Amino acid sequence: MAKPDWEAIETAYRAGSLSIRAIADKHGVSDTAIRKRAIQNGWQRDLTEQVQKATRQKLVRNEVRNDSSREHVRTDEEIVNEAADEAAAVVLEHRVDLARWRRIAGKLGDFLDDVEFTTENHASLSRSLVAGVDAQIKVIKAEREAYNIDTGDQNNDTDSISDLMDSLSQGA
């Protein structure tokens, strides 16, 4: 078994972008071992807000750069930039996925424009659309939570879309 890369684990821990369990899974160690090492070495998860701020700035400017890893002790700024790059890449991937779902929904909408709705096919056609959109919303929400991109009331867009889709599926 390979020895854990504690420097990378510390970096991820301090950045605060991933949950401790996600860090543990990514690096093949237990979350308990990370917690013990963090206490032992005085690691602080104090860069979360800076990572979120830098992520938002990168998305606004649409500049996502991957800096190469360096062989010296990493500064807070380097850790924040690396974590922000990773989080921004996730958000940009979500935008691509959403564009895909918009295209699919558009094709379905075009199809539905031409199809004759009957009492036999109405429910199955609407369930297909609702299920697809709901699945994508859930994946995006879970991944954004894993990367701690949105917290609390800062972004309820996925909840609002999900609530809207639920009400549409119930015929409200």
Side-chain angles (χ1 to χ4, degrees):
M1 180 179 212
K3 190 174 181 177
D5 182 354
W6 286 107
E7 182 179 334
I9 294 169
E10 177 186 5
T11 296
Y13 182 93
R14 290 183 59 213
S17 295
L18 297 173
S19 70
I20 296 172
R21 286 190 180 150
I23 297 168
D25 290 344
K26 185 175 182 177
H27 293 280
V29 297
S30 71
D31 58 311
T32 305
I34 293 174
R35 285 177 181 38
K36 285 181 183 178
R37 180 74 61 118
I39 291 168
Q40 178 184 8
N41 295 329
W43 297 346
Q44 298 294 315
R45 289 176 65 90
D46 56 359
L47 301 175
T48 302
E49 284 184 35
Q50 290 170 289
V51 169
Q52 289 173 346
K53 182 179 177 183
T55 299
R56 286 188 292 275
Q57 289 173 345
K58 286 177 184 286
L59 289 171
V60 169
R61 288 189 221 124
N62 201 18
E63 293 177 355
V64 180
R65 286 175 255 134
N66 292 322
D67 295 329
S68 60
S69 170
R70 299 181 185 148
E71 293 296 322
H72 67 282
V73 176
R74 298 173 63 196
T75 66
D76 288 354
E77 183 180 353
E78 290 171 327
I79 293 169
V80 166
N81 279 330
E82 182 179 308
D85 282 346
E86 191 171 341
V90 169
V91 173
L92 293 172
E93 186 176 318
H94 290 165
R95 290 178 181 173
V96 170
D97 290 343
L98 286 172
R100 178 176 170 256
W101 279 105
R102 274 189 229 105
R103 285 191 306 275
I104 291 170
K107 288 178 184 178
L108 182 57
D110 292 343
F111 170 77
L112 294 176
D113 282 341
D114 296 333
V115 73
E116 183 176 332
F117 279 83
T118 65
T119 54
E120 291 84 25
N121 70 7
H122 179 268
S124 63
L125 292 172
S126 63
R127 279 194 307 269
S128 296
L129 177 61
V130 170
V133 172
D134 191 49
Q136 185 66 18
I137 289 168
K138 288 177 181 176
V139 167
I140 289 170
K141 185 176 179 180
E143 197 167 20
R144 290 176 77 89
E145 286 174 7
Y147 279 87
N148 202 18
I149 293 169
D150 296 323
T151 58
D153 295 329
Q154 288 180 355
N155 188 342
N156 291 322
D157 291 345
T158 55
D159 291 335
S160 299
I161 294 169
S162 183
D163 292 342
L164 176 62
M165 293 307 297
D166 287 345
S167 68
L168 288 173
S169 70
Q170 296 167 2

